[in-house]
Amino acid sequence: MPSFFLLVDCNNFYVSCERVFNPSLEGKPVMVLSNNDGCVVARSNEVKALGIPMGAPVFKYRSLIERHGIQVFSSNYTLYGDMSRRVMAVLSRFAPDMEIYSIDEAFLSFRSGDLRKLEHLARRIRRTVWKWTGIPVSIGIGQTKTLAKVANRVAKSSPEYGGVFALGDTSGVDACLKPLPVGKVWGIGRRHEKTLRCHGIYTAYQLKTAPDSWIRRHLSVTGLRTAWELRGISCIPLEEVPSPKKGIACSRTFERWVEAREELREAVSLYTTRAAEKLRGSRLLAACVQVYLTTSPYQEGPRYANALTCHLPVPTDYTPSLIAAACRGLDRIFKPGYRYKKAGILLMGLTRAGRRQASLFYHQSREDLARQGRLMRAVDGINARYGRETLRFASSGIVREWQSRPSHRSPRYTTCWSELPRVR
DNA sequence: TCTGGGGTCCTAGGACCC
DNA sequence: TCTGGGGTCCTAGGACCC
């Protein structure tokens, strides 16, 4: 008996979140911007119809935005994260086996061969999510994750299916794959698409029927897995337990050019502080910090980019130690005279906090370690209770002229007492 | 003037070992 | 003139995803 994957994908997720709490946006063109208010990261169907692509730089579409009265929002991840949690909670009631794949997508798996029943269930899931959270979803059903993704595209793009589409027998699958451009397949990006086109492969069906050895040579094993998945052979299993994190990153583009080393140190300190908060939240320690900085890839004039990894004497989650390491790295890669546009840090070599490995060459007393732990718990506790940055590290700066701030942020409707929506 | 951020995985190549 | 073979580990770079 074949088993099936359901891919549940929230429609225009960030836009839908904004609409739940602001129903006047319904039917109007709405877009949500990236962190820096620089790019478009979510579009309502009305915006898609105007031809504004995903990831488009906002400044190029200013006149179109004004002409059509497009409602523009900065991203509000506090809200989206909370709404995501609610949607996932609803989904988990319907399936014992579920993988949260991203903020707006989840795979459910069923060991059932009855496609009719599954389709019926999918419609019930869709109605329930809509009723309980206000978020519209589309559901694709297939024998592999990749085919469920294909089915989801159909569900989303063809309204006549009512938001649910199932791929069953081979002839049905092939009928779907033949008109599908190969670059739309999950796992085939722009570069692979180009390679494939150069060799006369334009559709998902052509990839499915290409020889294994050729695919392996040109697209590596990941591409071969994708081809097998298109053939209905499941190679990408459901991951119910999220695998442990391998790295924690934090980076931002600056509001303006930054030339001063002191300002870069503030930025690097701030990003390290943020990443260290996440690190402790995940009960992990970091063994090294990578710091990088770069000028804008779009600007005229001299360019420079560099990165450096600094190792800690022992893995730690103590913010001051991490900041010190990051700033040491910065000092080594910083070159005066450039206009920097972005900096970032990456915590790597992550290990579980409960399993501290002692160092042969670096001794830290138990008291010292305990004191650091208490200090970080106190800082995290105060910031959790009274708001982020109630306590901050002086090295991350006070004024921060380099920092960009979102200008169209909606309220944190569901997670902040003072920003709750009011019903009159 | 203005172009995001956070992840994962794979491969090739270099350093090193015996 | 001519300098092995087999293995591991690490890193950088490139590809992909949302």
Side-chain angles (χ1 to χ4, degrees):
Chain A
M1 195 195 294
S3 60
F4 285 94
F5 291 93
L6 266 70
L7 173 62
V8 184
D9 191 327
C10 300
N11 299 347
N12 315 331
F13 182 55
Y14 299 168
V15 168
S16 297
C17 289
E18 298 293 345
R19 281 176 169 168
V20 168
F21 297 95
N22 188 348
S24 71
L25 299 172
E26 214 56 59
K28 292 191 185 141
V30 182
M31 57 165 62
V32 178
L33 307 184
S34 62
N35 249 313
N36 220 10
D37 285 353
C39 291
V40 181
V41 295
R43 306 157 296 153
S44 70
N45 291 343
E46 298 78 8
V47 172
K48 289 177 187 173
L50 289 171
I52 300 181
M54 179 71 172
V58 181
F59 72 90
K60 281 190 182 168
Y61 292 91
R62 283 264 178 256
S63 67
L64 203 63
I65 289 168
E66 274 172 35
R67 205 157 60 239
H68 292 90
I70 298 177
Q71 305 286 305
V72 178
F73 290 88
S74 305
S75 30
N76 183 345
Y77 285 105
T78 313
L79 176 65
Y80 310 151
D82 187 59
M83 291 304 288
S84 170
R85 205 179 42 73
R86 289 161 194 252
V87 170
M88 299 306 170
V90 178
L91 296 181
S92 67
R93 300 169 71 110
F94 288 93
D97 304 322
M98 163 167 154
E99 172 187 341
I100 297 174
Y101 177 65
S102 74
I103 194 166
D104 71 334
E105 280 175 65
F107 287 102
L108 315 181
S109 89
F110 292 89
R111 281 179 283 273
S112 142
D114 193 333
L115 207 52
R116 289 261 148 154
K117 275 191 189 159
L118 274 182
E119 215 179 310
H120 190 73
L121 176 69
R123 293 192 192 282
R124 221 173 80 217
I125 292 174
R126 193 167 173 270
R127 277 197 306 274
T128 311
V129 174
W130 170 250
K131 205 164 166 183
W132 292 4
T133 68
I135 300 291
V137 300
S138 303
I139 302 180
I141 307 173
Q143 287 191 35
T144 66
K145 283 181 165 181
T146 305
L147 288 174
K149 276 269 188 187
V150 170
N152 194 284
R153 275 185 64 86
V154 179
K156 208 164 264 182
S157 59
S158 310
E160 63 269 27
Y161 295 117
V164 174
F165 186 76
L167 277 176
D169 58 341
T170 311
S171 62
V173 171
D174 288 351
C176 257
L177 298 186
K178 276 177 182 163
L180 184 65
V182 72
K184 304 290 183 196
V185 174
W186 188 46
I188 304 297
R190 231 181 319 185
R191 295 303 294 262
H192 283 348
E193 184 185 22
K194 201 176 157 198
T195 307
L196 288 163
R197 293 176 74 93
C198 283
H199 292 84
I201 293 176
Y202 298 92
T203 69
Y205 180 76
Q206 286 175 301
L207 176 61
K208 171 183 170 175
T209 51
D212 280 0
S213 58
W214 187 90
I215 301 171
R216 175 68 183 78
R217 194 162 65 246
H218 287 91
L219 307 185
S220 90
V221 291
T222 44
L224 189 56
R225 264 202 291 268
T226 297
W228 281 40
E229 285 245 323
L230 290 174
R231 295 170 198 165
I233 302 162
S234 182
C235 309
I236 308 172
L238 195 79
E239 286 178 33
E240 292 178 70
V241 185
S243 46
K245 269 203 210 333
K246 307 251 162 78
I248 295 176
C250 185
S251 67
R252 289 287 180 282
T253 304
F254 302 131
E255 175 71 30
R256 52 162 171 80
W257 289 319
V258 171
E259 292 180 70
R261 180 197 300 238
E262 209 34 61
E263 288 190 314
L264 291 170
R265 288 179 69 106
E266 287 183 6
V268 164
S269 297
L270 178 64
Y271 304 158
T272 307
T273 306
R274 292 271 160 84
E277 284 164 4
K278 273 195 218 166
L279 189 70
R280 291 190 293 274
S282 312
R283 308 215 173 284
L284 294 167
L285 307 173
C288 48
V289 191
Q290 183 179 88
V291 56
Y292 59 91
L293 76 174
T294 174
T295 53
S296 168
Y298 308 102
Q299 78 186 24
E300 299 287 311
R303 292 180 190 182
Y304 173 70
N306 206 348
L308 188 80
T309 305
C310 289
H311 294 259
L312 281 306
V314 283
T316 184
D317 60 2
Y318 185 57
T319 302
S321 303
L322 294 166
I323 288 179
C327 287
R328 265 202 316 277
L330 175 69
D331 283 342
R332 285 178 53 192
I333 58 175
F334 172 78
K335 277 196 194 168
Y338 289 98
R339 296 166 154 180
Y340 295 100
K341 192 61 182 161
K342 181 179 179 178
I345 68 103
L346 184 58
L347 301 180
M348 298 182 307
L350 306 188
T351 50
R352 297 251 305 274
R355 310 212 177 137
R356 247 173 236 268
Q357 169 84 48
S359 165
L360 207 52
F361 307 105
Y362 177 85
H363 179 68
Q364 188 174 31
S365 72
R366 199 169 291 185
E367 295 73 38
D368 205 26
L369 203 59
R371 191 184 56 81
Q372 291 186 352
R374 283 198 304 276
L375 182 56
M376 289 301 100
R377 275 195 296 282
V379 170
D380 290 340
I382 287 168
N383 284 337
R385 179 155 178 190
Y386 298 102
R388 175 183 264 187
E389 298 230 288
T390 302
L391 284 180
R392 61 166 85 180
F393 289 86
S395 60
S396 65
I398 307 294
V399 182
R400 297 181 187 161
E401 281 174 16
W402 44 269
Q403 189 175 27
S404 79
R405 292 175 177 82
S407 52
H408 316 283
R409 181 106 94 204
S410 53
R412 292 166 291 178
Y413 296 109
T414 60
T415 55
C416 181
W417 287 112
S418 60
E419 298 178 22
L420 288 183
R422 286 164 192 272
V423 180
R424 285 181 233 278

